[in-house]
Amino acid sequence: MAEMTGGQAIVRTLVNHGIDTIFGLPGVQLDNTFDALYEARNQIRTIHTRHEQGAAYMALGYAQASGKVGACLVGPGPGLLNTGAALCTADGSNVPVICIAGQIPSHQIGVGIGATHEIRDQTNAMRGVVKWVGRAEHPADTPAVMETAFAEMLGTRQQPVVFEMAPDMMGKVEDVVLLDPTDYDAAPEPDEDLLETAVEMLGKAKKPMIFVGSGVFGAESELQAIAEALEAPVVMSRTGRGALTDRHHLAQTMIAGQSIWEDADVALVVGTRFSSPGLAWGREKEVKLIRIDVDPRQAKLPREADVTVISSAKKALPVLTDKIGRHNTSRESRESELNAVKADTIAKLEGLHPQYGFGKVIRDALPEDGILVTDVTQMATFMQNWCPVYQPRTLITPGYQATLGYGFATALGAKVAMPDKKVICISGDGGFMFNVQELSSAVAHGIDLVTIVFADAAYGNVKRFQKEGYGGRHIAVDLHNPDFAKMAETFGARGIHADGPEELAAALKESLNAKGPTLIEVPIGEVPNTWSLVKRPSSAGAKT
């Protein structure tokens, strides 16, 4: 037990839980906590940003790239609301982010007198966005409430949480007992009888398949062992790419999976929503499903499986690996068949120009352990489906939220988390401007990120939809852009124009080993539609 302020209790609890970096903005309701960060500056790095959205995205990218907890610190009301896009993306992508938020003075909460940054009900407002929201009412409460925050964030399905504290409590001194972190893994132990049933189904299957998302990370070796025993193709969602290296014949993308699905008889689905196959690929009653998911609610969606095991991949796949040999039949290699499917898929994608030319340059420039972060842009859609991925957490995307403006700030967080790895962000001109101000943060903190802005002077995806679906009735899609390279230079970053793949290759060679951030502007015109190759539920619903 020691005397400390609420702000010191917050910071010291974060340090105890291994948090070594926090992204945020100072403000009057946070002064005591920022003072505690100054005190702990040799234990936890504070990276201040130009917008709360940027801080939360950086925390998200830090967590996605490292697999560790990302942390951000923002003021109440508008400041916390500004984090909403990043936190809902973290929630959709199952990423552990803790957002520390200020509040108005404790005696004013819920009164409605118009205190600075007051909103009607901050706590419940955020409960519609993240998994858990909690408040420490006194400094002495801080360790226990934050312990609950970490347990909620890490215990089963990893998702973001919000912890809040009033400014007077951040400054109040009380006796506080700090708590050591515990093993937060609360995933249920897998039901061995259900797994026995599952391996019997898989063992008898003629054409089994495996579907995985980011929920399989941490069990990659077991995944490979099961896949090789079954000769089962592993279809990886965007967020699960790299769970099995793309050099393996069993590693398949979602586009390739569409054709393989036509002959499948049993599918093992691990740590993924399974939304596109379950809702758009057909054969619902013909393919038996085995689901392994830590979330009992998610495990029932989009439809009930034949066998459902509520557990994590880390706990269930080792048991499945031990059991699979007792029931498996002798199988011939499917290498030739599956390599042909892979080659056909690649050929279709490599027929898309100019995407393929630019994409090949990016993949060739990025080391195998390098990280590619994609915003929501037509080049990103191509790369998510074509780009070979060799390791987990090296393709970072916004998942089903498809959050425009996600890429740049998220990539900054990824580079902070993994400073020894090369990191490239690809963005469109529309999405990049959502967080353009973080060029300032990148320069101020010396973040060696390379960002490629593909500029078509439009919200290109939407403009194409208007052309193809609405007879070219274009509205609100054309953009007036700055000279991005010159703009980057005004921030103190390196700015480069690259016209075409050859110039992009030269720019990447120059910038990937340079110090400080680089922005490469690449003009790009109208491009073919990658989505035409993808079977998925309509984002807009059926037309009437």
Side-chain angles (χ1 to χ4, degrees):
M1 180 181 293
E3 280 194 347
M4 64 186 76
T5 66
Q8 288 173 321
I10 291 170
V11 171
R12 293 177 190 179
T13 298
L14 290 174
V15 170
N16 275 4
H17 283 75
I19 304 299
D20 58 14
T21 305
I22 192 165
F23 305 90
L25 275 74
V28 64
Q29 287 108 338
L30 301 173
D31 284 348
N32 287 295
T33 300
F34 270 88
D35 188 59
L37 285 170
Y38 179 85
E39 180 183 72
R41 62 192 181 280
N42 293 326
Q43 297 171 290
I44 185 167
R45 180 184 182 188
T46 300
I47 295 182
H48 63 293
T49 65
R50 301 302 294 266
H51 193 285
E52 292 90 357
Q53 185 179 109
Y57 275 131
M58 289 184 206
L60 170 56
Y62 183 98
Q64 284 185 289
S66 66
K68 300 191 294 185
V69 172
C72 59
L73 174 61
V74 299
L80 181 56
L81 292 176
N82 280 341
T83 69
L87 291 178
C88 82
T89 307
D91 194 79
S93 298
N94 305 307
V95 181
V97 172
I98 183 166
C99 178
I100 310 294
Q103 252 287 7
I104 62 175
S106 56
H107 65 280
Q108 295 176 344
I109 295 174
V111 177
I113 64 171
T116 301
H117 301 333
E118 179 181 8
I119 58 176
R120 286 190 178 92
D121 189 342
Q122 174 173 297
T123 307
N124 279 323
M126 297 310 295
R127 284 185 175 135
V129 180
V130 300
K131 184 177 183 180
W132 176 91
V133 183
R135 181 193 310 150
E137 302 290 358
H138 298 279
D141 302 335
T142 303
V145 178
M146 291 189 73
E147 184 82 0
T148 301
F150 275 87
E152 290 287 341
M153 181 171 50
L154 300 173
T156 52
R157 186 175 178 181
Q158 297 193 353
Q159 289 178 302
V161 296
V162 172
F163 169 92
E164 61 180 26
M165 180 181 273
D168 49 318
M169 292 299 113
M170 288 181 179
K172 185 177 180 181
V173 176
E174 287 185 353
D175 287 331
V176 177
V177 178
L178 296 176
L179 302 175
D180 291 328
T182 62
D183 179 4
Y184 295 107
D185 186 355
E189 295 297 325
D191 184 315
E192 296 217 16
D193 290 339
L194 288 174
L195 287 177
E196 193 77 21
T197 302
V199 295
E200 288 176 7
M201 288 172 57
L202 290 166
K204 295 175 183 177
K206 294 180 179 179
K207 290 289 183 77
M209 291 181 72
I210 301 173
F211 291 82
V212 299
S214 60
V216 82
F217 289 163
E220 292 91 340
S221 60
E222 290 85 0
L223 170 67
Q224 181 170 336
I226 293 166
E228 289 175 345
L230 296 169
E231 272 297 309
V234 178
V235 178
M236 293 167 279
S237 72
R238 285 173 293 176
T239 57
R241 296 287 308 279
L244 184 62
T245 174
D246 272 326
R247 286 201 171 84
H248 202 298
H249 70 279
L250 295 174
Q252 302 288 340
T253 64
M254 291 293 285
I255 293 178
Q258 292 167 176
S259 61
I260 301 170
W261 178 254
E262 296 303 314
D263 295 323
D265 52 356
V266 178
L268 171 63
V269 181
V270 185
T272 182
R273 285 182 177 80
F274 197 63
S275 57
S276 289
L279 295 172
W281 290 11
R283 304 192 68 224
E284 291 88 352
K285 297 180 180 179
E286 300 173 44
V287 183
K288 292 187 180 298
L289 289 188
I290 300 163
R291 292 291 295 268
I292 297 176
D293 202 294
V294 75
D295 185 340
R297 179 178 175 275
Q298 184 63 52
K300 297 179 181 178
L301 300 174
R303 63 183 176 91
E304 293 273 3
D306 296 274
V307 176
T308 302
V309 179
I310 305 303
S311 187
S312 64
K314 289 181 182 179
K315 289 185 174 180
L317 291 194
V319 180
L320 200 65
T321 304
D322 290 341
K323 291 178 176 292
I324 200 81
R326 298 203 298 270
H327 299 281
N328 201 20
T329 56
S330 177
R331 298 174 186 277
E332 294 184 2
S333 171
R334 297 178 67 183
E335 184 169 357
S336 177
E337 169 202 348
L338 294 174
N339 277 339
V341 172
K342 187 178 293 195
D344 181 65
T345 302
I346 291 171
K348 290 175 182 175
L349 288 163
E350 291 182 352
L352 300 179
H353 293 282
Q355 293 106 306
Y356 172 60
F358 288 123
K360 186 175 187 306
V361 164
I362 294 168
R363 179 65 272 184
D364 288 348
L366 196 63
E368 288 197 6
D369 68 346
I371 296 171
L372 179 65
V373 182
T374 61
D375 205 312
V376 180
T377 181
Q378 294 175 95
M379 268 304 302
T381 303
F382 175 82
M383 292 298 280
Q384 289 164 9
N385 287 286
W386 169 81
C387 184
V389 180
Y390 305 112
Q391 297 181 19
R393 303 187 184 282
T394 57
L395 176 64
I396 295 178
T397 84
Y400 78 81
Q401 287 291 358
T403 323
L404 186 60
Y406 154 97
F408 177 52
T410 301
L412 290 172
K415 180 62 179 178
V416 170
M418 311 301 288
D420 295 330
K421 292 189 176 184
K422 307 299 183 186
V423 182
I424 294 176
C425 171
I426 57 175
S427 179
D429 44 2
F432 179 75
M433 292 294 284
F434 279 42
N435 277 286
V436 61
Q437 73 285 342
E438 301 309 338
L439 275 168
S440 174
S441 305
V443 172
H445 294 282
I447 304 173
D448 305 335
L449 172 69
V450 177
T451 300
I452 306 169
V453 177
F454 288 95
D456 62 356
Y459 291 122
N461 278 311
V462 182
K463 189 169 187 177
R464 191 189 65 249
F465 294 151
Q466 290 180 355
K467 176 182 178 180
E468 295 175 355
Y470 297 89
R473 292 155 60 89
H474 295 306
I475 183 170
V477 289
D478 294 312
L479 303 175
H480 176 74
N481 284 332
D483 182 318
F484 286 103
K486 286 183 178 178
M487 180 187 65
E489 290 175 354
T490 68
F491 280 92
R494 184 178 298 97
I496 303 174
H497 282 280
D499 194 352
E502 289 186 9
E503 290 189 12
L504 176 59
L508 287 172
K509 184 176 181 180
E510 172 188 343
S511 58
L512 275 172
N513 292 313
K515 292 295 183 184
T518 299
L519 187 153
I520 304 171
E521 179 181 358
V522 179
I524 191 170
E526 187 175 336
V527 301
N529 183 5
T530 306
W531 287 117
S532 64
L533 301 175
V534 181
K535 293 180 182 178
R536 62 181 183 134
S538 171
S539 299
K543 276 191 174 184
T544 56

